[in-house]
């Protein structure tokens, strides 16, 4: 049975569900109260500011009933109910990973062994099936990239790819950047030279989130696309040279 | 007279100009060499990768002549010249501010005493005078905000303001967000309620950089706009409650 216990000063409730105990603080609960006077019932937005909460707020009574935690705030004498599933979703009393170089579990590191199983999807499939789109986007979130085959071959078609999940972020280059070989190149991207591994627009603030490279036509044979997992590179540096990794993670580097 | 001295292992050059000494490392100098084989003369982009540089690189000879530092890299036996003004602009051997809550010198903290001298510009002036535009943008950089008066009164006119300095960043709300009082508000912004001090779109990644609030029409008397300098708030917290500030600056807070 879920149950709640209250600290003697009324400042902390310890909620135990399935033998897991999570703490919630009186001020936090009051600030996040779900009643209509605290949160707009029509749009979920908060109607009070922190300054509206008495700084001496404490809880005089806490109990679990009907899958909810009920607490009474003093000196307001206000009783508010929090569904247990809401508390579970918003619990903040859990171990935090703050070590340098941590990765969320949802992220996969990779190297060239990924070649045999590249994350790839089909344009028509992701355009028509929300499930296929979700799988493709989940691959991007997990690996940092994913291929997309079979898109329309016409100028600006990449904007249709962006429309699948977000919005174009314009830059000084305009809405899109045409990569093509030019006679008098002002950018290495306009030459036939092989480019080394690089990050585009690292000097931009904010830096790009997702970048879409869209091939309309390849008029010459050969040429490889090279992808590098920067997280894996960082992890390898951490293992090979912990001191170097520590230095790089503690000091801000300016772009140059 | 500017002069250079070389460490006995050839890994570091110390350059003294006007009694200021700055160190430059052999690998860094080699990586940043300005010759045509290292950097494209037409677009300034780098033509080599770090892996192209011998890891045993050192400098066998360094001297200043004609306002430039000339160094010879071994084992390549390659001599490269760096203008002193370029080195001064790219020097990295200087004290770094890494204390919590540091502010660049270009930033001013402010409070309500700024009321008498609000940073303000005129739309026609900044549209026609690069100097006026620069002053207005510098105010935004310095204070975090600036007013603009006299803009055109027509729907979407705020995009003309954005065109003065950058690009619209589209969101799920579209290119712009119309704030108006509605009968069935889905957002507090559509009500006549006073909004507390808040940050818009803090849940967005990346968060907005500059936000443009553009008033076309105010159909009711009264109503105040309230601005808060978050940097000043943080600075005050640091003074009033160093422990709390330290906690907040060391732990990642997720948006909720």
């Amino acid at each position: 049975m879920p149950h709640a216990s209250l600290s003697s000063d009324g400042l902390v409730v310890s909620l135990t569900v399935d033998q897991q105990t999570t703490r919630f603080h009186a001020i936090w609960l009051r600030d996040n109260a779900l009643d209509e006077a605290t949160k707009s019932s029509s749009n979920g937005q908060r109607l009070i500011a922190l300054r509206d909460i008495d700084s001496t707020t404490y809880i005089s009574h806490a109990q679990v009933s009907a899958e909810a935690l009920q607490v009474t705030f003093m000196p307001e004498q206000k009783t508010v109910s929090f569904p247990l599933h809401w508390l579970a979703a918003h619990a903040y009393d859990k171990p935090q990973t703050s070590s340098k170089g941590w990765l969320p579990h949802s992220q996969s590191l990779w190297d060239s062994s990924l070649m045999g199983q590249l994350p790839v999807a089909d344009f028509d499939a992701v355009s028509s099936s929300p499930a296929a789109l979700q799988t493709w986007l989940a691959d991007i979130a997990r690996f940092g990239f994913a291929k997309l085959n079979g898109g329309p071959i016409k100028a600006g078609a990449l904007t249709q790819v962006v429309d699948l999940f977000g919005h174009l972020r314009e830059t000084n280059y305009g809405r899109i950047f045409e990569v093509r070989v030019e006679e008098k190149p002002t950018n290495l991207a306009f030459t036939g030279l092989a480019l080394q591994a690089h990050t585009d627009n690292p000097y931009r603030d904010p830096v790009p989130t997702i970048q879409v490279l869209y091939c309309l036509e390849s008029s010459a044979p050969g040429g490889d696309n090279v992808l590098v997992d920067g997280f894996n590179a960082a992890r390898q540096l951490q293992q090979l040279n912990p001191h170097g990794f520590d230095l790089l993670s503690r000091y801000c580097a300016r772009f140059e």
Side-chain angles (χ1 to χ4, degrees), chain A:
Chain A
M1 276 292 287
H3 69 271
S5 70
L6 189 59
S7 66
S8 58
D9 55 12
L11 296 181
V12 186
V13 179
S14 293
L15 177 68
T16 304
V17 180
D18 296 337
Q19 286 161 22
Q20 285 247 335
T21 299
T22 314
R23 294 172 307 165
F24 293 93
H25 293 76
I27 288 272
W28 187 90
L29 287 168
R30 180 62 193 88
D31 189 39
N32 286 280
L34 303 169
D35 66 300
E36 290 199 6
T38 306
K39 280 201 171 183
S40 163
S41 58
S42 64
N43 56 46
Q45 286 176 288
R46 202 182 307 245
L47 299 169
I48 62 165
L50 261 183
R51 66 167 177 271
D52 298 322
I53 301 176
D54 195 309
S55 65
T56 66
T57 291
Y58 66 97
I59 293 171
S60 61
H61 190 72
Q63 76 174 75
V64 176
S65 56
E67 294 298 304
L69 171 69
Q70 216 168 58
V71 297
T72 301
F73 296 106
M74 300 296 286
E76 280 182 278
Q77 294 191 293
K78 178 186 181 82
T79 298
V80 176
S81 184
F82 297 89
L84 294 186
H85 65 83
W86 186 93
L87 289 171
H90 293 81
Y92 53 84
D93 181 30
K94 42 194 178 190
Q96 304 231 352
T97 313
S98 60
S99 59
K100 302 284 183 194
W102 68 275
L103 274 180
H105 290 300
S106 53
Q107 206 98 39
S108 289
L109 298 180
W110 49 267
D111 54 26
S112 59
S113 65
L114 192 68
M115 262 317 267
Q117 35 164 337
L118 286 181
V120 60
D122 176 76
F123 180 83
D124 289 336
V126 298
S127 300
S128 58
S129 156
L133 178 61
Q134 186 179 22
T135 301
W136 182 61
L137 293 175
D139 277 347
I140 294 174
R142 180 176 163 202
F143 297 110
F145 81 100
K147 283 185 72 177
L148 187 66
N149 288 334
I153 299 175
K154 60 179 181 192
L158 78 76
T159 63
Q160 289 174 253
V161 176
V162 175
D163 287 341
L164 292 170
F165 58 83
H167 308 282
L168 269 183
R169 199 137 33 97
E170 215 167 312
T171 72
N172 53 307
Y173 296 113
R175 286 171 63 79
I176 61 178
F177 177 97
E178 301 273 7
V179 178
R180 56 179 178 256
V181 174
E182 292 187 347
E183 265 187 63
K184 292 187 178 169
T186 55
N187 193 303
L188 286 187
F190 297 149
T191 70
L193 290 177
L195 299 185
Q196 54 170 294
H198 64 280
T199 303
D200 281 330
N201 272 223
Y203 44 77
R204 189 170 295 287
D205 181 13
V207 295
T209 41
I210 293 182
Q211 188 168 17
V212 182
L213 298 170
Y214 196 97
C215 178
L216 289 174
E217 184 185 11
S218 180
S219 56
D224 276 323
N225 286 312
V226 179
L227 279 173
V228 176
D229 182 357
F231 288 116
N232 198 358
R235 178 63 55 88
Q236 289 188 32
L237 174 65
Q238 189 173 28
Q239 283 157 1
L240 294 170
N241 186 342
H243 178 64
F245 178 86
D246 185 54
L247 276 176
L248 285 174
S249 65
R250 275 190 297 131
Y251 292 89
C252 245
R254 73 174 187 198
F255 172 79
E256 26 197 355

